Amino acid sequence: MESPLVDVTIAVHSATRPIARAVASVIEGTTAPVRVNVVAHNIDQEIIRTNLGTWAEHPAVRLLSLRDGIPSPAGPMNLGMAAATARFHTLLGSDDEFAPGAIDSWLALQRATDADVVIGRIRLVTGGPDPYPPVRRGRRTTGLSADRDRLHYRSAPLGLIDRERFGDLRFTEGLTSGEDLPYTSELWITATSIAYDLYGPPYVGHDDADDRVTSAPRDVAADFAFLRVIEEADWFAAASTADRRALAVKLLRIHFFDAVAARLETPGIAAVAAELLAVVDRVSAWAPGVLSVLSIADRRVMDELRRGAPDPERTRALLGRRWIYLSPAAQLPRNPFLALHRHAPFRTLAAGARSQRVGQL
């Protein structure tokens, strides 16, 4: 085959994933030379070969295998990245697909901007355009900043990655959660040029996988083990205060409150409140003013956890008020002078709504 310009890695761990659909979307929907690296993860490689059908024999498809016994995508994704030789690399979920022309559109934008990273827009089959990252008005395609364009809200590196710049970057193995967060955090903060293909064909996210499972919450320490990886990284030590604050706000606003919600039932919020609050204190120490830009509703949840014995039902009710986006408590921080801060909820939500509207065009 022609030397690929883009290597695509697809990790698949289940016989029920529609892997042939994913591969077809790459090869049939792209005119540029591409190669698809399908990684059979902890599953018989021949099962995946059978599911690929005729695509298994296509010269642009390479079937790899990894048996590490670890239920994490980090290992197979890293294997695909290590096997890549093309100038650019991208990832695709085994139950997702690229809209026709997506990779070609990313390549065109990269050529026009000389970007290290091109962020692809995402369309969710069941939910429409993904509003993340909530970028600034007027900065829709190039010259993006991790801080000013809130890029940390895009946790998955879905788009085009220049291997000349980031060929050695890998997901963190050995974590049970958040293996992609050190990767994307470094990507957004250290890339010289980032472009966002907000108008091009999207990455299409499906939810038709029938092998998803719900498991009991992990220990809080395991859930946030990725923090140590970030804190020990050289790029984090060199990061500006603004970049640290942007990352910290996002981690608290999304990951912390998800962790609280997951622990309302088992083992019970009172049993883990101190551990959760330790996460708040740790992350908010990364930069001044982290907590000050959170919403009133967010801070009320934290206040409840700081009680000697937080009540589960009251905590649940307070969490629910965070999602009432049009309420003052969800849109405003406690200090009204910070209402228009770029990381306060009003501007973040407004930017996300704009991105979502543009994605519908």
Side-chain angles (χ1 to χ4, degrees), residues 87-119:
R87 167 73 186 278
F88 301 101
H89 180 262
T90 190
L91 301 174
L92 178 61
S94 59
D95 52 337
D96 298 333
E97 62 183 315
F98 293 129
I103 293 178
D104 291 325
S105 182
W106 299 346
L107 287 167
L109 182 56
Q110 193 283 328
R111 288 192 295 268
T113 62
D114 196 29
D116 300 330
V117 182
V118 175
I119 302 173

Side-chain angles (χ1 to χ4, degrees), residues 78 81-82 84 87 89 161-172 183 186-187:
N78 287 346
M81 292 181 199
R87 167 73 186 278
H89 180 262
I161 311 296
D162 189 340
R163 291 185 59 257
E164 290 186 1
R165 175 68 174 81
F166 291 107
D168 294 330
L169 190 59
R170 297 287 186 270
F171 285 8
T172 304
Y183 183 105
E186 180 174 354
L187 202 65

Side-chain angles (χ1 to χ4, degrees), residues 131-136 147-153 246 249-250 253-254 293-295 298 325 330-331 338-356:
Y132 298 125
V135 298
R136 287 172 287 175
D147 169 37
R148 294 187 295 276
D149 292 294
R150 311 169 188 89
L151 297 185
H152 295 293
Y153 286 88
V249 170
K250 182 265 182 176
R253 183 171 281 150
I254 304 297
V293 296
L294 296 181
S295 71
D298 289 345
Y325 290 139
Q331 292 211 5
L338 294 175
L340 296 181
H341 190 283
R342 70 170 64 99
H343 294 296
F346 177 78
R347 284 179 60 185
T348 300
L349 290 169
R354 285 197 303 271
S355 295
Q356 195 167 39

Side-chain angles (χ1 to χ4, degrees), residues 91 119 122 130 132-133 150-158 171 178-185 187-188 226 247 250-251 254-255:
L91 301 174
I119 302 173
I122 298 174
D130 189 322
Y132 298 125
R150 311 169 188 89
L151 297 185
H152 295 293
Y153 286 88
R154 174 66 69 85
S155 295
L158 301 178
F171 285 8
E179 66 282 333
D180 53 351
L181 291 172
Y183 183 105
T184 53
S185 298
L187 202 65
W188 307 144
F226 66 85
L247 175 56
K250 182 265 182 176
L251 292 177
I254 304 297
H255 303 277

Side-chain angles (χ1 to χ4, degrees), residues 8-28 36-41 43-56 61-64 77 91-98 206 208-211:
V8 182
T9 293
I10 308 175
V12 56
H13 70 278
S14 167
T16 62
R17 292 297 175 100
I19 185 64
R21 179 181 68 187
V23 171
S25 76
V26 178
I27 298 176
E28 294 180 340
V36 186
N37 303 288
V38 177
V39 183
H41 184 217
I43 188 172
D44 186 345
Q45 180 174 301
E46 294 309 308
I47 295 175
I48 303 305
R49 186 185 303 277
T50 298
N51 289 350
L52 282 168
T54 57
W55 292 115
V61 176
R62 180 166 57 176
L63 183 57
L64 308 174
M77 292 299 190
L91 301 174
L92 178 61
S94 59
D95 52 337
D96 298 333
E97 62 183 315
F98 293 129
H206 289 269
D208 53 2
D210 59 5
D211 59 349

